[in-house]
Amino acid sequence: MNVSLEDAHGRTIGDLRVSVTDRCNFRCHYCMPAEGMPWIDRGEILTYAEIERLVRIFVALGVADVRLTGGEPLVRRELPSLVARLAAIDGLEDLSLTTNGYLLAGQAEGLVAAGIDRVNVSIDSLARARFFEVTRRDALDRVLAGLEAIAAFPAVRPIKVNAVPMPGFGEDDVLRFCELARERRFQVRFIEFMPLDGGRAWRSEDVLSGAEVQAMIERIHPLRERPREPHATARVFEFADGEGEIGFINPVSEPFCADCNRLRLTADGKLRTCLFSLHETDLRGPLRDGADDAELERIIRDAVWRKELKHRIDEPGFRPPARTMSAIGG
Ligand code: SAM
Ligand code: SF4
């Protein structure tokens, strides 16, 4: 019997992003307006027991990689206890976390003890003033301390640093990120700005493409591309002298939908089959109404079968989803 989760386009699902909260302690321009967002009521947020139950079902259906995200996952109370519950699931091979790093120094040890395998830290600039400009928080030093705290655990590798380069991002930023990648051996990845910002201000002119950032880097350090891993979001390059690596996540200029194997579970229990889905499938309702695993599996399989062929950013008639990045789970 085939247990794997397949969509109508021949893609097999292997990766689940789980948002544990839509709340955040930062207000990055490309994600949230300064005043924040209308938060989801606490009673609507899945409990850790509910998340564990759903993740167990997904893993039984072939999901091997789970990433915890948000909003800011570390603002949710006792996150390590969720990590421990998920790390104990047989068949789950890779349990990772994406964070803005602000609370990481205090939580790194607990997360590692609970069984986190990998951590990505988002840092948009390594210059204090620019970091403040982008995130609206004067917190670069604290985030870097968080990054170092998690890097102190050699088992947590690779460590990735995500940056969304916005207009104004320049040679100075590029140089600093190259240094970080080369000297500290963190994989720095540049993500193109997508129309998922809470302020609804996205314009294609504001997207600094991966190719543009790559050209800036190559003026200083030549790069050599690595073969693409199946289902990868990033094109990964190593510095031609072998000292470290850099990645480019180019969803706008070079969509990678063709072999997308990802699903997303929002903090309020909706299954999304694409970042840009206009339709989502409620799992929390059936779960709280007493559905058994077989019923939940049927709902999941139906939703996955209808997974979107591709996103249509910037095509005529494109409509962004009602939920924006922080409420979806990036
Ligand atoms: N708060 C955590 C963080 O910032 O890492 C986790 C959630 S955040 C939504 C996940 C990733 O999405 C971050 O790397 C962030 O930079 C990225 N992101 C947020 N809004 C985006 C947008 N409009 N376009 C591209 N990436 C975005
Ligand atoms: Fe918060 Fe992450 Fe969004 Fe920044 S990108 S506002 S840290 S959720």
Side-chain angles (χ1 to χ4, degrees), residues 13 49 76 81 102 107 125 149 167 178 182 191 197 201 225-226 230 239 241 245 271 282 304 309:
I13 301 301
R76 178 130 179 211
S81 69
Y102 188 75
Q107 297 197 32
S125 175
C178 286
R182 291 167 64 80
I191 307 175
D197 54 312
E225 186 157 9
R226 291 251 179 89
F239 291 99
D241 60 8
E245 50 187 40
L271 180 63
D282 183 32
V304 168
L309 176 62

CSV table of all heavy atoms in Angstrom, one decimal, residues 13 49 76 81 102 107 125 149 167 178 182 191 197 201 225-226 230 239 241 245 271 282 304 309:
chain,number,residue,atom,x,y,z
A,13,ILE,N,4.9,14.7,-0.9
A,13,ILE,CA,5.1,15.6,0.2
A,13,ILE,C,6.1,15.0,1.2
A,13,ILE,O,6.0,13.9,1.6
A,13,ILE,CB,3.8,16.0,1.0
A,13,ILE,CG1,2.8,16.6,0.0
A,13,ILE,CG2,4.0,16.8,2.2
A,13,ILE,CD1,3.2,17.9,-0.6
A,49,ALA,N,-0.4,19.5,22.4
A,49,ALA,CA,-0.9,18.1,22.3
A,49,ALA,C,-1.5,18.0,20.9
A,49,ALA,O,-1.4,16.9,20.2
A,49,ALA,CB,-1.8,17.8,23.4
A,76,ARG,N,6.4,31.8,22.0
A,76,ARG,CA,5.4,30.9,22.6
A,76,ARG,C,6.0,30.2,23.8
A,76,ARG,O,7.1,29.7,23.8
A,76,ARG,CB,5.0,29.9,21.6
A,76,ARG,CG,4.0,28.9,22.1
A,76,ARG,CD,2.7,28.7,21.4
A,76,ARG,NE,1.9,27.7,22.0
A,76,ARG,CZ,1.0,26.9,21.4
A,76,ARG,NH1,0.9,27.0,20.1
A,76,ARG,NH2,0.3,26.1,22.1
A,81,SER,N,9.3,22.2,25.2
A,81,SER,CA,8.4,21.0,25.5
A,81,SER,C,7.8,20.5,24.3
A,81,SER,O,7.6,19.3,24.1
A,81,SER,CB,7.4,21.3,26.6
A,81,SER,OG,6.4,22.2,26.2
A,102,TYR,N,16.0,36.7,18.8
A,102,TYR,CA,16.0,37.7,19.9
A,102,TYR,C,16.0,36.9,21.2
A,102,TYR,O,16.7,37.4,22.2
A,102,TYR,CB,14.8,38.6,19.8
A,102,TYR,CG,14.8,39.7,20.8
A,102,TYR,CD1,15.7,40.8,20.6
A,102,TYR,CD2,13.9,39.7,21.9
A,102,TYR,CE1,15.7,41.8,21.6
A,102,TYR,CE2,13.9,40.7,22.8
A,102,TYR,CZ,14.8,41.8,22.7
A,102,TYR,OH,14.8,42.8,23.6
A,107,GLN,N,17.4,30.4,25.2
A,107,GLN,CA,16.6,29.2,25.0
A,107,GLN,C,17.4,28.1,24.3
A,107,GLN,O,17.0,27.0,24.1
A,107,GLN,CB,15.3,29.5,24.2
A,107,GLN,CG,14.4,30.4,25.0
A,107,GLN,CD,13.0,30.3,24.4
A,107,GLN,OE1,12.5,29.3,23.9
A,107,GLN,NE2,12.3,31.4,24.5
A,125,SER,N,20.5,42.6,8.4
A,125,SER,CA,21.7,43.4,8.2
A,125,SER,C,22.6,43.2,9.3
A,125,SER,O,22.2,42.9,10.5
A,125,SER,CB,21.3,44.9,8.1
A,125,SER,OG,22.5,45.6,8.0
A,149,ALA,N,25.1,31.6,20.6
A,149,ALA,CA,24.7,30.6,21.6
A,149,ALA,C,24.3,29.3,21.0
A,149,ALA,O,24.6,28.2,21.5
A,149,ALA,CB,23.5,31.2,22.4
A,167,PRO,N,15.4,47.3,-0.8
A,167,PRO,CA,16.1,48.5,-1.4
A,167,PRO,C,17.0,49.2,-0.4
A,167,PRO,O,16.5,49.4,0.8
A,167,PRO,CB,15.0,49.4,-1.9
A,167,PRO,CG,13.8,48.4,-2.1
A,167,PRO,CD,14.0,47.3,-1.1
A,178,CYS,N,29.3,38.2,3.6
A,178,CYS,CA,30.3,37.2,3.1
A,178,CYS,C,31.3,36.9,4.2
A,178,CYS,O,31.7,35.7,4.4
A,178,CYS,CB,31.1,37.9,1.9
A,178,CYS,SG,30.1,37.9,0.4
A,182,ARG,N,32.1,33.2,5.6
A,182,ARG,CA,33.4,32.6,5.4
A,182,ARG,C,34.1,32.4,6.7
A,182,ARG,O,34.7,31.3,6.9
A,182,ARG,CB,34.3,33.6,4.5
A,182,ARG,CG,33.8,33.7,3.1
A,182,ARG,CD,34.4,34.9,2.4
A,182,ARG,NE,35.8,34.8,2.2
A,182,ARG,CZ,36.5,34.1,1.3
A,182,ARG,NH1,35.8,33.4,0.4
A,182,ARG,NH2,37.8,34.1,1.2
A,191,ILE,N,16.9,35.9,0.6
A,191,ILE,CA,15.5,35.5,0.2
A,191,ILE,C,14.9,36.7,-0.5
A,191,ILE,O,14.9,37.8,0.1
A,191,ILE,CB,14.6,35.2,1.4
A,191,ILE,CG1,15.3,34.1,2.3
A,191,ILE,CG2,13.2,34.7,1.0
A,191,ILE,CD1,14.5,33.8,3.6
A,197,ASP,N,3.6,40.7,2.7
A,197,ASP,CA,3.8,41.7,3.8
A,197,ASP,C,2.5,42.1,4.3
A,197,ASP,O,1.6,42.4,3.5
A,197,ASP,CB,4.7,42.8,3.3
A,197,ASP,CG,4.1,43.5,2.1
A,197,ASP,OD1,3.7,42.8,1.1
A,197,ASP,OD2,3.9,44.7,2.0
A,201,ALA,N,2.4,46.5,0.9
A,201,ALA,CA,3.2,47.5,0.1
A,201,ALA,C,4.1,46.9,-1.0
A,201,ALA,O,4.8,47.6,-1.6
A,201,ALA,CB,4.0,48.3,1.1
A,225,GLU,N,28.6,27.2,-8.2
A,225,GLU,CA,27.4,26.6,-7.8
A,225,GLU,C,27.5,25.2,-7.5
A,225,GLU,O,28.2,24.4,-8.1
A,225,GLU,CB,26.3,26.8,-8.9
A,225,GLU,CG,24.9,26.4,-8.4
A,225,GLU,CD,23.8,27.0,-9.2
A,225,GLU,OE1,24.0,27.7,-10.2
A,225,GLU,OE2,22.6,26.8,-8.7
A,226,ARG,N,26.8,24.8,-6.4
A,226,ARG,CA,26.7,23.3,-6.0
A,226,ARG,C,25.5,22.7,-6.8
A,226,ARG,O,24.6,23.4,-7.1
A,226,ARG,CB,26.4,23.2,-4.6
A,226,ARG,CG,27.4,23.6,-3.6
A,226,ARG,CD,28.0,22.4,-3.0
A,226,ARG,NE,29.1,22.8,-2.1
A,226,ARG,CZ,28.9,23.1,-0.8
A,226,ARG,NH1,27.7,23.1,-0.3
A,226,ARG,NH2,29.9,23.4,0.0
A,230,PRO,N,17.3,17.8,-4.5
A,230,PRO,CA,15.9,17.8,-4.8
A,230,PRO,C,15.1,18.5,-3.8
A,230,PRO,O,15.4,18.5,-2.6
A,230,PRO,CB,15.6,16.3,-4.7
A,230,PRO,CG,16.9,15.5,-4.6
A,230,PRO,CD,17.9,16.5,-4.2
A,239,PHE,N,32.1,29.6,-2.1
A,239,PHE,CA,33.1,30.6,-2.5
A,239,PHE,C,34.1,29.8,-3.3
A,239,PHE,O,34.5,28.6,-2.9
A,239,PHE,CB,33.7,31.3,-1.3
A,239,PHE,CG,32.8,32.2,-0.7
A,239,PHE,CD1,32.1,31.9,0.5
A,239,PHE,CD2,32.5,33.5,-1.2
A,239,PHE,CE1,31.2,32.7,1.1
A,239,PHE,CE2,31.6,34.4,-0.6
A,239,PHE,CZ,30.9,34.0,0.5
A,241,ASP,N,37.2,29.8,-3.5
A,241,ASP,CA,38.3,29.4,-2.7
A,241,ASP,C,38.0,28.3,-1.7
A,241,ASP,O,38.8,28.0,-0.8
A,241,ASP,CB,39.1,30.5,-2.1
A,241,ASP,CG,38.2,31.3,-1.1
A,241,ASP,OD1,37.1,30.8,-0.9
A,241,ASP,OD2,38.6,32.4,-0.7
A,245,GLU,N,29.8,29.1,2.3
A,245,GLU,CA,28.8,29.0,1.3
A,245,GLU,C,27.7,30.0,1.5
A,245,GLU,O,27.5,30.5,2.5
A,245,GLU,CB,28.2,27.6,1.1
A,245,GLU,CG,27.8,27.0,2.4
A,245,GLU,CD,27.4,25.5,2.3
A,245,GLU,OE1,28.1,24.8,1.5
A,245,GLU,OE2,26.4,25.1,2.9
A,271,LEU,N,-4.5,23.9,7.2
A,271,LEU,CA,-3.5,23.3,6.3
A,271,LEU,C,-3.4,24.1,5.0
A,271,LEU,O,-4.4,24.4,4.4
A,271,LEU,CB,-3.8,21.9,6.0
A,271,LEU,CG,-2.9,21.1,5.1
A,271,LEU,CD1,-1.5,21.0,5.7
A,271,LEU,CD2,-3.4,19.7,4.7
A,282,ASP,N,-9.3,23.3,7.1
A,282,ASP,CA,-9.3,23.3,8.5
A,282,ASP,C,-9.1,21.9,9.1
A,282,ASP,O,-9.8,21.0,8.8
A,282,ASP,CB,-10.7,23.9,9.0
A,282,ASP,CG,-10.8,24.0,10.5
A,282,ASP,OD1,-9.8,24.2,11.1
A,282,ASP,OD2,-11.9,23.8,11.1
A,304,VAL,N,-4.1,17.8,0.0
A,304,VAL,CA,-2.8,17.7,-0.7
A,304,VAL,C,-3.0,17.4,-2.2
A,304,VAL,O,-2.3,17.9,-3.1
A,304,VAL,CB,-1.9,16.6,0.0
A,304,VAL,CG1,-0.7,16.3,-0.9
A,304,VAL,CG2,-1.5,17.1,1.3
A,309,LEU,N,-0.4,24.0,-8.6
A,309,LEU,CA,0.7,23.7,-9.5
A,309,LEU,C,1.9,24.7,-9.2
A,309,LEU,O,3.0,24.3,-9.2
A,309,LEU,CB,0.3,23.8,-10.9
A,309,LEU,CG,1.3,23.6,-12.0
A,309,LEU,CD1,1.9,22.2,-11.9
A,309,LEU,CD2,0.7,23.8,-13.4
